[in-house]
Amino acid sequence: MANNINDLTADFPVLDQQVNGERLAYLDNAATAQKPKQVVDTLVHFYEHDNANVHRGVHTLAERATAEYEEARKKVQHFINAADNKEIIFTKGCTDGLNLVASTYGEQNIHEGDEIVISIMEHHSNLIPWQQLAIKKHAVLKYIELTPEGTLDMDDAKKKITDKTKIVAVAHASNVLGVVNPIKELAKLAHEHGAVFVGDGAQSVPHMPVDVQDLDVDFYAFSGHKMMGPTGIGVLYGKADLLRQMPPYQYGGEMISSVHRDRTEFADIPFKFEAGTQSIAGAIALGTAVDYLEKVGMENVVAKEQELVDYVLPKLEALPYVTVYGPQDPKKHTGVIAFNMDNLHPHDVATALDAEGVAVRAGHHCAQPLMEALGVSATSRASFYFYNTKEDADQLIKAIKATKEFFNGGTI
Ligand code: 7TS
């Protein structure tokens, strides 16, 4: 592994290229992160040497594949400090994990008149499953609103979470506002009222140390691909006693202990929730991504991203035609920076930035109720990861200035 956090290009060949004749500045990490060659090598090695299905064969390759798959589960367990590796369920991704909780725990425990509390800054993946559950069960869905600064309004949270609340589901870090939410406090509030807390860790696990026991979350979902693992693999953490009480999510192979003509005994966790053939290579390569992050050190990831935000955010805010969403103080802002340019449509901005080699996302970021609360229909968004550099930040600022000049009077 490259040992200089400021120059990791040797590990990320994809970053070392030109697009549209310009150096690539990849600033779309909130959508998906790039993969170090160690992760790609793990995939290639698995398929070239060890490929077999897990938990069913006795032959050598099957045993090897099973051992690697279960080793990956332990790596994830230690990475988020879960008490037991049985509490780590491999899923397709964060969306899949959140749907699992809504369809099983939610289906079993939400009844007419119950309340589910989420926040207005949720990604659709942590909104629609609860909204649809509430509709189906004649339950009530409540939203915790924002402070004027663009952080979660904890006074509002205290009003919305009551003894009627059965589930509180909130993102640990926003994919738009660049804020980290006090989910330890929210989990405590939920528990005081007899509710469970579901954390959406899609934008936090890749970027900061996460300790699920310290946070005392009941469920916590995240995606492999945003933390440099492959697509198609994710993790749902759940407290063992809750997971054991829940019905299965899907039925099929792998998840049973015995099947009879008229009944089935299900396997213990985590297998009860892993029906069918999982992304075996994906899980193993996610384990390599975890190894990589541990070698870098999550404290160093945090420090490097903070350094980049301290550098770029004031430069962005100093441009009179740019509006940045979320807190203006770099110390309160993660590497996710949503912004708009006066009189320019975000899609035009993203296209113009791409012409300068800068990859950002434009749109509603799967957070339409949040867009409505902010009074916009879309934004552009630059999102940094620890492998980004000040050169990337400079290129972003330069490209925004060039875009302003190019469109001059605006496009809307
Ligand atoms: N939750 C949050 C907070 C997210 O940012 C995302 C993906 C998800 C859940 C869903 O993750 P998935 O891997 O299951 O799709 N966010 C983004 C984004 O901001 N741009 O593209 C995907």
Side-chain angles (χ1 to χ4, degrees):
M1 186 184 130
N3 53 16
N4 178 1
I5 198 167
N6 293 314
D7 184 9
L8 294 165
T9 25
D11 288 346
F12 294 88
V14 69
L15 295 174
D16 190 15
Q17 63 173 300
Q18 297 215 324
V19 293
N20 300 317
E22 301 290 338
R23 168 188 179 277
L24 170 66
Y26 183 78
L27 299 176
D28 195 17
N29 293 288
T32 199
Q34 297 301 349
K35 323 301 173 198
K37 65 179 175 44
Q38 289 85 341
V39 167
V40 178
D41 288 349
T42 297
L43 289 171
V44 172
H45 186 275
F46 177 77
Y47 285 122
E48 285 186 351
H49 299 277
D50 303 334
N51 179 49
N53 213 328
V54 294
H55 299 306
R56 39 189 113 188
V58 291
H59 61 79
T60 303
L61 264 57
E63 281 181 359
R64 248 192 252 154
T66 303
E68 289 171 41
Y69 182 72
E70 289 308 318
E71 183 58 29
R73 195 188 306 277
K74 286 186 192 145
K75 286 179 185 178
V76 172
Q77 177 207 345
H78 296 305
F79 191 59
I80 60 167
N81 194 33
D84 192 329
N85 64 49
K86 289 184 163 52
E87 298 180 316
I88 303 299
I89 298 160
F90 284 124
T91 64
K92 285 190 292 181
C94 188
T95 303
D96 192 32
L98 294 166
N99 274 278
L100 189 161
V101 181
S103 310
T104 56
Y105 185 89
E107 184 68 36
Q108 198 175 39
N109 292 285
I110 293 293
H111 305 289
E112 188 168 346
D114 287 344
E115 296 185 358
I116 302 168
V117 177
I118 65 172
S119 91
I120 195 67
M121 70 171 86
E122 296 314 307
H123 185 280
H124 294 163
S125 295
N126 197 32
L127 188 159
I128 309 171
W130 308 117
Q131 179 193 62
Q132 294 303 307
L133 178 67
I135 292 170
K136 186 173 168 192
K137 297 283 186 164
H138 304 285
V140 179
L141 181 66
K142 287 185 167 176
Y143 290 84
I144 306 169
E145 303 293 334
L146 302 180
T147 62
E149 191 192 13
T151 57
L152 196 71
D153 186 341
M154 286 304 285
D155 291 333
D156 194 40
K158 283 171 198 149
K159 281 184 214 140
K160 301 265 164 77
I161 300 172
T162 70
D163 287 346
K164 286 188 176 170
T165 309
K166 294 292 179 291
I167 296 173
V168 179
V170 175
H172 196 174
S174 164
N175 69 321
V176 177
L177 296 169
V179 291
V180 178
N181 292 321
I183 64 164
K184 186 174 176 176
E185 216 180 306
L186 285 167
K188 189 162 175 274
L189 258 177
H191 295 154
E192 281 165 8
H193 291 281
V196 293
F197 182 84
V198 184
D200 173 350
Q203 300 293 347
S204 45
V205 175
H207 301 282
M208 63 191 77
V210 168
D211 180 334
V212 288
Q213 291 188 76
D214 177 58
L215 293 168
D216 199 17
V217 288
D218 299 292
F219 301 100
Y220 195 86
F222 54 100
S223 292
H225 70 95
K226 292 186 203 285
M227 54 191 287
M228 305 182 299
T231 49
I233 186 76
V235 172
L236 174 70
Y237 159 80
K239 285 183 182 165
D241 54 339
L242 289 171
L243 290 175
R244 287 206 170 95
Q245 286 165 33
M246 284 152 52
Y249 180 36
Q250 292 184 322
Y251 302 106
E254 291 281 293
M255 51 79 70
I256 55 97
S257 91
S258 69
V259 184
H260 312 275
R261 280 182 180 236
D262 57 351
R263 75 196 144 84
T264 295
E265 271 107 48
F266 303 117
D268 190 16
I269 58 169
F271 310 113
K272 184 170 84 174
F273 294 105
E274 292 183 2
T277 302
Q278 303 298 103
S279 173
I280 301 165
I284 297 167
L286 174 60
T288 305
V290 166
D291 290 341
Y292 192 97
L293 283 168
E294 279 181 339
K295 268 190 204 137
V296 174
M298 292 311 289
E299 302 299 338
N300 295 326
V301 169
V302 172
K304 175 71 188 294
E305 289 182 27
Q306 190 62 59
E307 190 186 323
L308 290 168
V309 176
D310 287 347
Y311 181 75
V312 76
L313 196 60
K315 288 191 191 335
L316 260 178
E317 285 164 358
L319 301 173
Y321 48 85
V322 169
T323 304
V324 173
Y325 299 96
Q328 308 293 298
D329 178 355
K331 296 288 177 236
K332 292 185 183 170
H333 212 112
T334 68
V336 172
I337 305 174
F339 63 95
N340 270 323
M341 294 176 67
D342 287 354
N343 306 320
L344 294 185
H345 194 281
H347 282 116
D348 295 328
V349 172
T351 306
L353 296 185
D354 182 54
E356 305 285 332
V358 180
V360 300
R361 186 179 167 186
H364 52 62
H365 313 295
C366 305
Q368 282 187 328
L370 172 62
M371 294 292 122
E372 214 175 281
L374 294 174
V376 296
S377 59
T379 78
S380 299
R381 180 190 67 188
S383 52
F384 289 79
Y385 208 6
F386 67 96
Y387 47 61
N388 287 121
T389 60
K390 286 192 176 164
E391 211 179 341
D392 294 330
D394 287 336
Q395 198 172 330
L396 170 69
I397 300 294
K398 191 167 159 246
I400 288 176
K401 288 179 179 165
T403 301
K404 167 74 180 160
E405 273 188 25
F406 180 77
F407 286 117
N408 201 11
T411 60
I412 48 174

